[in-house]
Amino acid sequence: MKSKMNKLTGATVALLLAAPAVHAAVESGFEANVGGVYQWFNDDKAGVDGQAGYRLGLGYQFTPNWVLELAGSYLDANVSGAKDVSFKQTTAALDLMYNFMPEWRVTPYALLSAGYAWYKADGYKSIDPSLEKFKNDEAVLGAGLGLKANLTDNLFARLDGRYVNYTDSNIDDYIATLVLGYTFGENAQAAPAA
């Protein structure tokens, strides 16, 4: 886990070093991104190990500040102490993001998320028969903070950390997301450098 945290820290530093400080922010337009997620599962009973997965997002930037994005992710995790047990999760979510200073080359943002998760857990009955009662799908709510680095006027990278709650089972997890994306839109005039 320490090496994964070091990688996330390195990615954050790379985003912060993106220069210059001011760029021509995209006014509005569709965006697409691809990347990965890492999820820390917080359910001791299920014993699911933290795992990396894939992510794809499609969204629309209404203003330089506001973005609405539909994203899907998939991961296949192992279970602690169980050799032949796997936990597969597919999630679809609608994220509302607010860029605080979109004219900056690197801008912080906040997000709210609502979605749905589908599970396929093979072999859990061999660990604990009561785990059969876990639902195969449920709603997910989340919130997070992140950094967006505008690599060019239209190309960007985003790194964020999220807290998510699975509403039926009342389980809380944490997710890190790193994506590379492109906004299809026209740019505003760049703000003068401070």
Side-chain angles (χ1 to χ4, degrees):
M1 182 169 157
K2 188 174 181 182
S3 66
K4 289 181 176 36
M5 289 303 297
N6 288 340
K7 289 178 184 176
L8 285 174
T9 302
T12 303
V13 170
L15 287 176
L16 288 172
L17 293 177
V22 177
H23 81 112
V26 173
E27 285 292 300
S28 64
F30 289 96
E31 70 175 42
N33 61 70
V34 64
V37 297
Y38 189 89
Q39 184 160 342
W40 290 269
F41 293 92
N42 198 28
D43 182 12
D44 294 333
K45 186 177 184 183
V48 182
D49 297 331
Q51 183 64 44
Y54 308 99
R55 184 183 188 280
L56 178 67
L58 298 170
Y60 188 77
Q61 181 175 311
F62 294 94
T63 71
N65 297 95
W66 290 101
V67 178
L68 187 64
E69 181 176 278
L70 179 63
S73 64
Y74 173 80
L75 57 85
D76 185 353
N78 296 319
V79 177
S80 298
K83 183 179 179 183
D84 297 322
V85 180
S86 67
F87 179 89
K88 298 174 177 67
Q89 177 176 304
T90 303
T91 305
L94 194 61
D95 297 342
L96 179 63
M97 291 174 275
Y98 182 81
N99 297 311
F100 288 100
M101 290 154 286
E103 72 280 2
W104 287 14
R105 184 64 68 177
V106 177
T107 180
Y109 66 92
L111 68 91
L112 295 174
S113 180
Y116 217 75
W118 294 266
Y119 315 115
K120 183 177 179 185
D122 298 326
Y124 263 115
K125 285 195 324 188
S126 65
I127 302 173
D128 186 341
S130 68
L131 288 175
E132 266 189 315
K133 71 182 181 183
F134 277 21
K135 294 199 172 193
N136 290 329
D137 54 83
E138 63 181 303
V140 185
L141 298 175
L145 295 171
L147 290 172
K148 177 182 179 182
N150 297 289
L151 306 176
T152 69
D153 290 340
N154 294 81
L155 185 67
F156 65 86
R158 283 199 325 247
L159 174 68
D160 63 53
R162 305 169 183 227
Y163 157 84
V164 294
N165 175 263
Y166 296 85
T167 58
D168 292 347
S169 55
N170 198 29
I171 294 172
D172 302 322
D173 288 342
Y174 299 93
I175 300 174
T177 300
L178 179 63
V179 301
L180 182 66
Y182 191 86
T183 304
F184 301 87
E186 294 186 5
N187 305 326
Q189 290 279 331

